[in-house]
């Protein structure tokens, strides 16, 4: 059977912020670029980002600069971050935000006409460029419109708007393809990608020497999540199956404030801006409980009384921050503990109140989406009563291990950016650092891919045998009858991960989850999807299951190995943070059939001396081993 | 708390189709999209529907519920009587691909026909200075989640396929207004709004405003002001005279 084929220089999988920014860069560098997205163009999960993009522009507080942002990011990630990524991110974020403005974005303004910046958890100064609470939408629309602008240019120049950049919407990639006559041995170079059109069910092969993964996260492996259906870990799985490694998979961010009621909307995000703009968390005893949960490493940076915390909103120079603005992992654990102790709200969350903190008109102006969301979905008027909120699976810090400067994975020709890549955020991401991450590393991955293509002596060739295998794999669920219902397998996986590898973990439960995942993998081999190939969601889900199971296994295996608690990984049986573990990354790899996942420990390279010098010794002593501190002292003296 | 609801859902592909009846469980707090998902999981695994965020932010799950364009994720079941039969059909203005999924490529085509943001060449990134009050008008239009329900409901194209080539629809006429009101946009969009994108077809019945899930005042704040800007230009006696003298228009 004939399969539709396309030839490109760079294929970008995913059309959220990272994917679009990568594609724009590749096209601007003269590469013929394809953007492939599972949904319609402009619908990516990035639209869900609410709070803003963190960039140390210093528009609101001129003391802000990249070094402060870098420090905040490392602290937020509990020093496990890839420090080079954190450095590049802090340095380049302002340029990436300003560039959006030149492409038509309209951020909220300061009085002197600059881009306004808002407070957010873990950020020392007001730092998030924003548009009300719909910043992600502004970002995606601006990038989408930039792609259109480039297409209009190409139409003028070449008579074809799609000559250099084309969007393949509602198209899902199921396999990456590698060089048939590999010069690199079994680690052959990328030669393209195989997928299917959702609309017709027909297959398509992209012949391309460089692939940028920008597929986002894995939240759909959990029941309670803020993530959309697309978040099935496709890029994570594609990378593993192609021979690349994933790092930090044990670190999952549970956003502290998701909706808890009604049940059907459980998990939908309530932006951190509510707290950034003055909202407070209370338990059923009406106590602002976050004051009881400030960890030692942050003790000197957070207010100890409500009065000081409240003064901070107007006078940041002389007061410390409210503890509601601790990094997300801390707040999520605190809420979890309050509910467990029986001090939760009627629907099993805690109260998040902005109604007594700001005038109604101001709430509607600053938090329009939240006002709308609660009114329409929960019959709650947030200008009059508190919201009920609880933790929700929001973001995975782990992902494809990449070179910080180029986004290159270990497989030649494979690149990754955004949530699907790992390292930048360490063990916990700060709010606002995601949108800026997309822009900074989307651009870098696009440039990295373009440069890689420039340096190639020949185009790697697509292996026809691999295409045939991919075709058979994709057709299997349609050809079986009377097999497992993919919706049921999915639902069981979600329950398993939610209950056993959730916000608080322990060895027995993780092992139980691994057994369950093993059985589900077996069942997923026998799913049957009735119906035809045209837009068949049951079939699409059956194919997505392979990816969700594979990443869930990585999460669980890494979580079982890491015997400490840090950021988005909390072990009930190992509640302390360990400086020894800080130096170690857990690296996942898999066999090409995905049957076996392997996890190894690797030592993380030491931070460059000039970056280390940005911290004082007292702070570092909370994170580093004695040996590392001795090195630090030696550098300081020299 | 839960009850069994009666649903009639349009099923079909390739121009053929029919309404199919279902009886399906509904629980407290659910929205129409939850019920569609339950149908997929329990009775009709291949029932096609688009959705992404399930929070009214992505504009994917546009459909017609009892004949009205709505987002499935923002239509609560509690707004219907338990005994009521709920009819769900695809958007009518766009060709059906399968079941509730339509071919919305018309919208992407139109998006590409609107000339992009055209900033002055001498302002560098980082140098933009704008007042909040000056960006707010365009910001309202940038709240658009591109659910395309305004284009779906607009009578100019809803049952008039022949008007599609000449008419951008409310979504993209609003995009023109958004750019025209952008403090740094330098392009002249008034003439083309009328001539190339069909602003004149709009007779301000406000159907688009009524269905907008973001409550954008499309007609009052975008289309009518844009019409006024066009008229100002067209009937300005000085402009008219200038055109006569310098352009020798025919």
């Amino acid at each position: 059977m004939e399969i539709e084929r396309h030839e490109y220089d760079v294929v970008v999988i995913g059309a959220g912020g990272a994917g679009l920014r990568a594609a724009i860069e590749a096209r601007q560098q003269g590469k013929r670029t394809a953007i492939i997205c599972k949904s319609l163009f402009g619908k990516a999960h990035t639209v869900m980002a609410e709070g803003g993009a963190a960039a140390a522009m210093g528009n609101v507080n001129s003391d802000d600069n990249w070094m402060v942002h870098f420090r905040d990011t490392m602290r937020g990630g509990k020093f496990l971050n890839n420090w080079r990524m954190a450095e590049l991110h802090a340095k380049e974020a302002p340029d990436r935000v300003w560039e959006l403005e030149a492409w038509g974005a309209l951020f909220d303004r300061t009085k002197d006409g600059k881009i306004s910046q808002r407070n957010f958890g873990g950020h020392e100064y007001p730092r998030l460029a924003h548009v009300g609470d719909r910043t992600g939408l502004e970002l995606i629309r601006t990038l989408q419109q930039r792609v259109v602008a480039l297409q209009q240019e190409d139409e003028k120049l070449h008579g074809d708007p799609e000559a250099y950049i084309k969007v393949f919407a509602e198209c899902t990639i199921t396999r990456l393809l590698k060089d048939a006559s590999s010069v690199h041995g079994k680690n052959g170079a990328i030669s393209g990608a195989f997928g299917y059109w959702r609309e017709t069910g027909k297959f398509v092969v992209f012949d391309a020497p460089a692939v940028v993964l920008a597929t986002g996260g894995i939240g759909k492996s959990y029941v309670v999540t803020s993530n959309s259906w697309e978040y099935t870990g496709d890029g994570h799985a594609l990378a593993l199956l192609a021979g690349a490694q994933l790092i930090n998979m044990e670190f999952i961010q549970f956003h502290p404030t998701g909706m808890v009621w009604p049940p059907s909307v459980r998990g939908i995000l309530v932006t951190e801006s509510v707290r950034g703009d003055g909202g407070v968390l209370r338990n059923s005893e009406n106590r602002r409980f976050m004051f009881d949960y400030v960890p030692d490493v942050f003790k000197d940076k957070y207010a100890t009384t409500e009065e000081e915390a409240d003064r901070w909103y107007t006078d940041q120079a002389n007061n410390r921050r409210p503890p509601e603005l601790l990094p997300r992992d801390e707040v999520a654990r605190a809420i979890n503990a309050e509910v467990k102790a029986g001090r939760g709200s009627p629907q099993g969350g805690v109260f998040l109140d902005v109604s007594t903190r700001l005038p109604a008109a101001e709430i509607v102006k600053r938090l329009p989406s939240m006002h709308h969301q609660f009114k329409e979905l929960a019959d709650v008027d947030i200008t009059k009563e508190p919201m009920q909120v609880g933790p929700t699976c929001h973001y995975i810090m782990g992902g494809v291990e990449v070179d910080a400067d180029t986004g290159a994975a270990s497989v030649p020709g494979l690149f990754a950016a955004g949530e699907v890549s790992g390292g930048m955020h360490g063990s916990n991401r700060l709010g606002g650092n995601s949108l800026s991450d997309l822009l900074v590393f989307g651009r870098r991955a696009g440039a990295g891919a373009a440069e890689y293509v420039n340096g190639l002596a020949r185009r790697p060739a697509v292996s026809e045998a691999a295409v045939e295998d991919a075709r058979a794999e994709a057709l299997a669920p349609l050809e079986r009858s009377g097999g497992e219902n993919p919706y049921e397998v999915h639902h069981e996986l979600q329950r398993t991960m939610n209950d056993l590898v959730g916000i608080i973990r322990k060895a027995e439960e993780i092992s139980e989850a691994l057994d369950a995942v093993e059985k589900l993998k077996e069942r997923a081999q026998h799913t049957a999807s009735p119906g035809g190939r045209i837009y068949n969601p049951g079939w699409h889900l059956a194919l997505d299951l392979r990816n969700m199971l594979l990443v869930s296994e990585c999460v669980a295996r890494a979580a079982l190995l890491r015997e400490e608690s840090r950021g988005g990984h909390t072990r009930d049986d190992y509640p302390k943070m360990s400086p020894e573990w800080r130096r170690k990354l857990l690296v996942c790899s898999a066999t090409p059939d995905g049957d076996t996942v392997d996890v190894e420990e690797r030592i993380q390279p030491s931070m460059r001396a000039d970056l280390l010098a940005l911290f004082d010794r007292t702070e570092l002593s909370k994170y580093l081993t004695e040996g590392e501190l001795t090195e630090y002292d030696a550098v300081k003296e020299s | 708390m839960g009850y069994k609801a009666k649903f009639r859902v349009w099923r079909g592909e390739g121009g053929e189709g029919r309404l199919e009846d279902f009886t399906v469980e509904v629980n407290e707090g659910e929205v129409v999209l939850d019920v569609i998902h339950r149908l997929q999981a329990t009775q009709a695994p291949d029932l096609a529907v688009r959705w992404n965020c399930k929070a009214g932010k992505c504009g994917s799950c546009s459909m017609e519920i009892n004949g009205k364009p709505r987002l499935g994720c923002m239509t609560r079941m509690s707004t219907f009587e338990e005994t009521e039969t709920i009819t769900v059909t695809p958007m009518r203005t766009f060709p059906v691909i399968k079941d509730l999924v339509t071919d919305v490529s018309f919208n992407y085509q139109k998006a590409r026909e609107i000339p992009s943001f055209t900033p002055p060449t001498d302002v560098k990134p980082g140098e933009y200075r704008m007042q909040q009050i000056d960006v707010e008008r365009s910001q309202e239009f940038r709240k658009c989640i591109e659910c395309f329900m305004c284009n779906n409901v607009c009578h100019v194209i809803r049952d008039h396929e022949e008007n599609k080539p000449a008419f951008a629809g409310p979504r993209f006429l609003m995009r023109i207004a958004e750019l025209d009101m952008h403090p740094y946009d330098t392009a002249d969009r008034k003439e083309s709004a009328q001539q190339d994108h069909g602003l004149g077809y709009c007779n301000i019945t406000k159907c688009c405003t009524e269905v907008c899930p973001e409550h954008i005042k499309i007609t009052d704040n975008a289309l009518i002001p844009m019409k006024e800007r066009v008229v100002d230009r067209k009937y300005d006696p000085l402009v008219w005279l200038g055109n006569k003298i310098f352009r020798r228009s025919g």
Side-chain angles (χ1 to χ4, degrees), chain A residues 29 42 245 323 325 329 452 570 594 625:
Chain A
Q29 310 235 357
Q245 288 80 42
L325 290 178
D329 52 334
Y452 169 80
T570 304
T625 60

Side-chain angles (χ1 to χ4, degrees), chain A residues 200-521:
Chain A
T200 59
K202 290 188 176 145
F203 296 125
V204 55
V205 167
F206 294 89
D207 183 325
V211 167
V212 180
L213 296 171
T215 52
I218 63 133
K220 276 294 161 194
S221 295
Y222 286 77
V223 183
V224 181
T225 175
S226 64
N227 291 174
S228 70
W229 75 268
E230 298 181 296
Y231 268 36
T232 51
D234 292 10
H236 288 84
L238 289 171
L240 270 181
L241 295 172
Q245 288 80 42
L246 307 184
I247 55 168
N248 296 349
M249 291 300 285
E250 63 276 34
F251 298 109
I252 292 183
Q253 179 168 85
F254 290 83
H255 193 290
T257 61
M259 290 176 82
V260 294
W261 193 92
S264 74
V265 302
R266 195 176 174 112
I268 291 180
L269 190 65
V270 179
T271 176
E272 190 168 324
S273 316
V274 175
R275 283 170 285 138
D277 288 354
V280 292
L281 290 163
R282 290 202 177 92
N283 62 18
S284 60
E285 295 161 3
N286 207 31
R287 179 175 167 76
R288 269 178 81 174
F289 60 84
M290 279 311 299
F291 288 96
D292 308 332
Y293 291 91
V294 182
D296 286 342
V297 288
F298 292 122
K299 272 267 185 301
D300 52 335
K301 295 198 162 54
Y302 287 83
T304 44
T305 64
E306 292 195 27
E307 293 70 27
E308 181 183 1
D310 286 349
R311 283 196 305 266
W312 177 85
Y313 287 100
T314 46
D315 178 9
Q316 291 169 14
N318 298 306
N319 297 285
R320 290 169 300 175
R321 318 161 55 76
E324 278 89 358
L325 290 178
L326 275 158
R328 289 175 175 171
D329 52 334
E330 310 289 354
V331 184
R333 273 193 298 271
I335 294 176
N336 199 65
E338 284 297 305
V339 174
K340 236 180 177 169
R343 293 187 293 269
S345 69
Q347 261 104 24
V350 294
F351 297 104
L352 171 60
D353 183 32
V354 70
S355 66
T356 58
R357 312 272 301 169
L358 288 175
E362 195 63 18
I363 294 171
V364 177
K365 193 175 161 190
R366 291 203 208 176
L367 304 164
S369 312
M370 288 305 106
H371 183 242
H372 181 76
Q373 179 175 312
F374 272 87
K375 211 160 188 177
E376 304 261 332
L377 294 174
D379 277 330
V380 167
D381 182 348
I382 67 167
T383 66
K384 296 200 175 73
E385 52 187 315
M387 299 161 246
Q388 293 185 51
V389 295
T392 177
C393 176
H394 184 57
Y395 188 91
I396 181 149
M397 273 66 73
V400 183
E401 185 175 35
V402 292
D403 171 60
D405 290 69
T406 61
S410 61
V411 176
L414 186 62
F415 298 78
E419 191 171 350
V420 70
S421 69
M424 158 69 204
H425 306 288
S427 68
N428 173 55
R429 174 176 69 78
L430 291 184
N433 270 1
S434 182
L435 290 183
S436 41
D437 168 9
L438 305 179
L439 297 170
V440 168
F441 294 104
R443 177 185 151 277
R444 282 188 164 272
E451 202 187 321
Y452 169 80
V453 173
N454 288 340
L456 280 180
R458 63 165 189 96
R459 281 175 78 95
V462 166
S463 144
E464 294 311 314
V467 170
E468 191 40 50
D469 289 349
R471 202 180 73 89
E473 178 184 48
L475 280 177
L478 282 175
E479 286 169 348
R480 277 188 289 262
S481 58
E484 289 276 355
N485 177 347
Y487 294 95
E488 278 174 21
V489 177
H490 182 211
H491 195 71
E492 279 192 37
L493 173 67
Q494 290 183 305
R495 279 256 73 95
T496 302
M497 292 304 285
N498 222 83
D499 296 347
L500 303 176
V501 201
I503 181 165
I504 311 287
R505 303 159 176 181
K506 51 180 109 166
E508 312 89 84
E509 290 185 353
I510 305 172
S511 302
E512 198 184 324
L514 279 166
D515 290 343
V517 167
E518 207 47 51
K519 289 192 188 102
L520 289 169
K521 272 170 101 174

Side-chain angles (χ1 to χ4, degrees), chain B residues 10-28:
Chain B
W10 202 91
R11 307 275 331 253
E13 59 191 50
E16 310 261 313
R18 77 236 154 256
L19 286 166
E20 227 172 79
D21 288 296
F22 295 96
T23 304
V24 55
E25 187 187 320
V26 176
N27 301 313
E28 192 185 3

Side-chain angles (χ1 to χ4, degrees), chain B:
Chain B
M1 208 180 281
Y3 70 99
K4 301 271 186 203
K6 287 197 276 299
F7 263 68
R8 310 195 75 192
V9 183
W10 202 91
R11 307 275 331 253
E13 59 191 50
E16 310 261 313
R18 77 236 154 256
L19 286 166
E20 227 172 79
D21 288 296
F22 295 96
T23 304
V24 55
E25 187 187 320
V26 176
N27 301 313
E28 192 185 3
E30 287 187 335
V31 292
V32 168
L33 185 61
D34 288 315
V35 178
I36 300 282
H37 282 160
R38 184 162 299 120
L39 285 176
Q40 282 183 331
T42 57
Q43 302 180 43
D46 62 338
L47 169 59
V49 63
R50 272 197 191 105
W51 71 287
N52 274 40
C53 73
K54 210 176 163 288
K57 291 188 165 62
C58 73
S60 300
C61 60
S62 308
M63 51 185 76
E64 301 198 0
I65 300 170
N66 289 344
K68 292 203 179 85
R70 303 289 309 257
L71 291 179
C73 72
M74 297 302 276
T75 307
R76 297 184 69 185
M77 288 303 296
S78 60
T79 56
F80 305 104
E81 297 292 331
E82 291 190 5
T83 52
E84 199 174 341
T85 299
I86 297 160
T87 306
V88 187
T89 49
M91 286 196 284
R92 193 166 94 191
T93 302
F94 311 116
V96 175
I97 293 171
K98 184 181 162 200
D99 305 338
L100 302 176
V101 174
T102 55
D103 175 358
V104 291
S105 54
F106 165 82
N107 300 285
Y108 290 96
Q109 179 60 37
K110 293 294 168 184
R112 204 186 276 167
E113 289 169 11
I114 312 291
S116 294
F117 174 56
T118 314
T121 46
D122 57 343
V123 184
K124 303 262 172 314
E127 291 176 353
Y128 285 62
R129 296 291 177 273
M130 299 178 261
Q131 288 304 308
Q132 183 62 31
I133 195 163
D134 295 323
V135 299
E136 266 168 13
R137 284 189 303 179
S138 296
Q139 277 185 335
E140 181 191 1
F141 311 142
R142 290 183 74 80
K143 281 187 344 198
C144 172
I145 57 174
E146 298 206 325
C147 64
F148 306 128
M149 290 199 295
C150 57
N151 281 2
N152 171 53
V153 82
C154 181
H155 62 270
V156 176
I157 45 175
R158 188 165 168 92
D159 290 310
H160 294 279
E161 198 62 29
E162 71 279 9
N163 286 340
K164 280 185 178 173
F167 185 64
R171 162 63 188 120
F172 297 102
L173 292 169
M174 178 174 85
R175 166 79 171 141
I176 298 173
E178 172 212 313
L179 289 165
D180 207 52
M181 295 175 189
H182 189 300
Y184 276 97
D185 188 63
T186 60
D188 186 352
R189 301 176 183 276
K190 283 141 191 112
E191 217 168 277
S192 72
Q194 192 79 359
Q195 282 176 2
D196 306 331
H197 308 294
L199 182 61
Y201 283 83
C202 164
N203 48 4
I204 56 174
T205 52
K206 300 197 182 184
C207 309
C208 50
T209 304
E210 270 172 40
V211 299
C212 178
E214 286 293 306
H215 306 298
I216 303 171
K217 293 198 171 63
I218 305 173
T219 319
D220 287 354
N221 293 353
L223 305 186
I224 293 176
M226 203 59 216
K227 277 171 176 279
E228 286 168 352
R229 288 173 175 217
V230 170
V231 166
D232 275 355
R233 168 68 57 86
K234 207 166 176 186
Y235 297 106
D236 184 322
L238 281 177
V239 173
W240 176 83
L241 192 66
N243 281 345
K244 279 282 170 203
I245 296 168
F246 299 112
R247 252 203 238 163
R248 277 198 275 164
S249 59

